[in-house]
Structures are given as C-alpha cells and as structure tokens.
Amino acid sequence: MNDMLKNREPFDIEGHADYGTSYARPKQEGVDTTHGAILYLEDITVSFDGFKALNKLTLDISVGELRCIIGPNGAGKTTMMDVITGKTRPTSGTAFFGQTMDLTTMAEYQIAHAGIGRKFQRPTVFEQHTVFENLELAMKMDKRVKPTLFFKLTSEQKGRIDDILKLVRLNGQEHRLAGLLSHGQKQWLEIGMLLMQEPQLLLLDEPVAGMSDAETARTAELLNELRGKHSIMVVEHDMAFVTEIARDGKVTVLHEGSVLAEGGMQQVQADERVIEVYLGR
Ligand SMILES: Nc1ncnc2c1ncn2[C@@H]1O[C@H](COP(=O)(O)OP(=O)(O)O)[C@@H](O)[C@H]1O
Ligand SMILES: [Mg+2]
C-alpha cells in the first residue's frame, strides 16, 4: 500500500474542490468557546441577484449540541452550510466560530483547519482505495501529522483507525475497495474520514438521503453515539430519522432563508406554520 501511496499525486489539501469535502483538518486549538456557543450566526443575508437565499438568519449552536435543521427545498439550508464553510460569502451579517473566529473573513481551507468538517450530500470517497486507506489518507491530510504522505502509522494511529471503523460500522470491511461499498457504507466511510480530523463542528447535509431503512436506522445510532463528542448540525428531510436523533434537543425549521420555528421536535411538529410550509396536512 505504501507503494500505491507513493504513486499518488499529492493531495490538494487546501481546496478539495474535486472531492467536495473539507477533509483537510483537525483540531481546533484556537477555538474559544468560553460562552458555550460553538457557532453563532447573526442576521446573515445571502442575495443571489437580489433573491435572498438567506434573509437575516440568526442561529446559534452550543458546544456538544446535535442540532437538526429541517425545512422545505429551497429554504436555504445548504446555503447556510456554504456560509459557515466559507464557500459563499454573506451579503451581510456575522458568523462566528467560537468567540473569536469570524468565519466571514476566513478562506475555506482556514475554516476547515479551524475545525469545521462538512459532509456534502453525495458521498465523495476515494473509490480506488480500500476503506482503511481512505481513513489513513484522511489522517494524512491532517496538518498536525507531519510529514504528510510518507510516514508509517504508529500503533496509536492504527488504533484510532480501528476505533473509527467500528464507530462507522465498517469493521470487517477495511480491505474492500471503497468503490464497492453500498451507498450507505460510502456515506459512513465519509463520516469516518471527517472524524479522523477530529472536527469540533460537524456539518452533515442530508446524510441519509438514498439510504435503505436499515442503513438509515444505523446512521441514527451512529449519530447518537457521536452526540456530545462533537457539535453537530444535521440537515435532513427524513422525519423518522430526525425524530430518532433529535431526542430532547432543539430542531430548527428554516423557511425562505430565516428561522420559522425552533424548539423540541414535538413542539415544531405541532406548530401550525411549520405544518403549513413543510410538514403538510
Ligand atoms: N449559487 C446560487 N445562485 C443563485 N441562486 C441560488 C444559488 N444557490 C442557491 N440558490 C437558491 O437559493 C435558495 C436556497 O437554496 P438551498 O440553500 O440550496 O436550499 P435547501 O438546501 O434548503 O434546499 C434556492 O431558491 C436556490 O435556488
Ligand atoms: Mg440542500
């Protein structure tokens, strides 16, 4: 496998445009969360030719919280993640990671390095590599690990990969090519790759879209295991899944670029405005 790695082109650690995922980072030494919020969005507006995809959106996430975001298509959920990760600049408003990091002034790679990991809707694993190699590569893209490509894994690092394999339900699959995994397994692998970077805030955009019911249930278990270890924002349409992971936590309903409702699952499900625009009758 080391030969194979030597033959690879160096990774574009900064951009990852081809892979669509911010694998490039790790820890978050610099994140000051003394006031309890890991993310604070205030009055964020994003205009595309006058159309407001986000309209004075204000939302905050506490350290260790698992927040579910729901809302109809076009509500601005993905655009919100684009703002948080620096892919889209807001027209106005502020976005803070912890107390001090102003995300609106940071480049995408800096935001990834600061500890925000993002999973896009479609899986973006390295299909020609095994499951294990994918996790190893994710580790090697971690800038804390030097030198990046040609080092041997320590037993501690191998142990970490084993832990992640178990967590994402891929132990026993580590020598399979990622391209041969089911859609759901690819999604889990990608979550595992993000976890290798130990993100402080994990953004998951529709993680169970296209999954079988069994895979969806296992993904809910996985997220429940991650609860409290990372701050997590999950955008999802599958209400059974959201109910499963929301537990006693807050659910935020986005509509037309702003927060329409926020509260416990039962509370938002009973909200007339939410029923009107999203849940239907
Ligand atoms: N780059 C863009 N240019 C123009 N309009 C956009 C762009 N990105 C998103 N939009 C529009 O902004 C709105 C919100 O989109 P999006 O954030 O993808 O919604 P969601 O993820 O909630 O379905 C949609 O009406 C969409 O068409
Ligand atoms: Mg979307």
Side-chain angles (χ1 to χ4, degrees):
M1 180 186 88
N2 281 339
D3 285 350
M4 182 198 62
L5 285 177
K6 278 176 200 147
N7 292 335
R8 284 188 65 87
E9 291 288 305
F11 287 98
D12 168 14
I13 292 179
E14 312 289 291
H16 281 289
D18 291 342
Y19 302 111
T21 298
S22 314
Y23 292 137
R25 180 55 183 185
K27 268 279 199 255
Q28 44 271 172
E29 290 85 5
V31 184
D32 171 4
T33 56
T34 45
H35 289 90
I38 185 78
L39 183 74
Y40 188 62
L41 306 179
E42 186 172 22
D43 272 343
I44 295 278
T45 295
V46 171
S47 295
F48 294 115
D49 297 326
F51 171 76
K52 289 180 177 169
L54 294 180
N55 189 1
K56 291 184 167 285
L57 173 69
T58 295
L59 183 150
D60 61 273
I61 309 270
S62 303
V63 175
E65 185 179 354
L66 196 173
R67 174 72 61 87
C68 295
I69 313 280
I70 60 176
N73 280 328
K77 304 180 297 295
T78 298
T79 303
M80 174 178 66
M81 289 194 171
D82 290 344
V83 167
I84 296 166
T85 56
K87 191 171 177 216
T88 296
R89 292 285 171 214
T91 313
S92 60
T94 54
F96 271 83
F97 184 42
Q99 293 302 118
T100 55
M101 285 194 206
D102 181 353
L103 297 171
T104 64
T105 64
M106 294 163 72
E108 271 187 275
Y109 77 92
Q110 291 173 316
I111 292 171
H113 291 188
I116 298 183
R118 177 181 191 179
K119 161 125 193 40
F120 286 76
Q121 280 173 243
R122 74 195 158 79
T124 52
V125 298
F126 302 107
E127 304 229 330
Q128 308 303 324
H129 289 261
T130 67
V131 167
F132 189 93
E133 287 160 1
N134 268 271
L135 294 174
E136 192 182 8
L137 289 165
M139 180 185 280
K140 287 174 180 178
M141 285 186 271
D142 181 334
K143 282 191 171 168
R144 292 169 305 172
V145 179
K146 292 177 193 168
T148 47
L149 276 180
F150 308 114
F151 78 132
K152 270 207 153 60
L153 291 177
T154 64
S155 58
E156 188 191 331
Q157 289 167 327
K158 282 203 184 98
R160 197 158 138 236
I161 292 180
D162 283 340
D163 290 344
I164 299 278
L165 279 167
K166 288 191 195 101
L167 184 67
V168 300
R169 282 94 179 117
L170 288 171
N171 47 327
Q173 307 282 325
E174 55 265 42
H175 301 303
R176 285 188 82 193
L177 286 182
L180 299 177
L181 298 175
S182 73
H183 169 75
Q185 289 172 322
K186 285 181 190 171
Q187 299 282 43
W188 296 337
L189 176 56
E190 193 177 0
I191 291 171
M193 293 171 77
L194 287 167
L195 292 175
M196 291 303 297
Q197 316 279 334
E198 297 178 40
Q200 187 149 338
L201 174 64
L202 193 55
L203 309 176
L204 304 175
D205 200 350
E206 303 196 21
V208 302
M211 281 192 185
S212 68
D213 288 350
E215 287 174 334
T216 298
R218 299 195 82 180
T219 306
E221 283 171 22
L222 163 59
L223 286 180
N224 280 320
E225 282 171 41
L226 293 179
R227 178 187 302 281
K229 294 179 191 146
H230 302 265
S231 309
I232 307 176
M233 180 190 272
V234 185
V235 163
E236 195 38 77
H237 282 290
D238 184 322
M239 293 307 286
F241 173 78
V242 172
T243 304
E244 196 59 46
I245 62 169
R247 301 246 178 122
D248 303 329
K250 261 193 221 167
V251 175
T252 300
V253 186
L254 288 196
H255 178 54
E256 295 179 345
S258 335
V259 174
L260 177 71
E262 195 166 87
M265 189 66 185
Q266 290 194 336
Q267 184 189 335
V268 300
Q269 275 181 314
D271 189 313
E272 283 300 326
R273 296 163 308 161
V274 176
I275 294 167
E276 178 73 26
V277 305
Y278 183 55
L279 296 173
R281 280 140 289 246

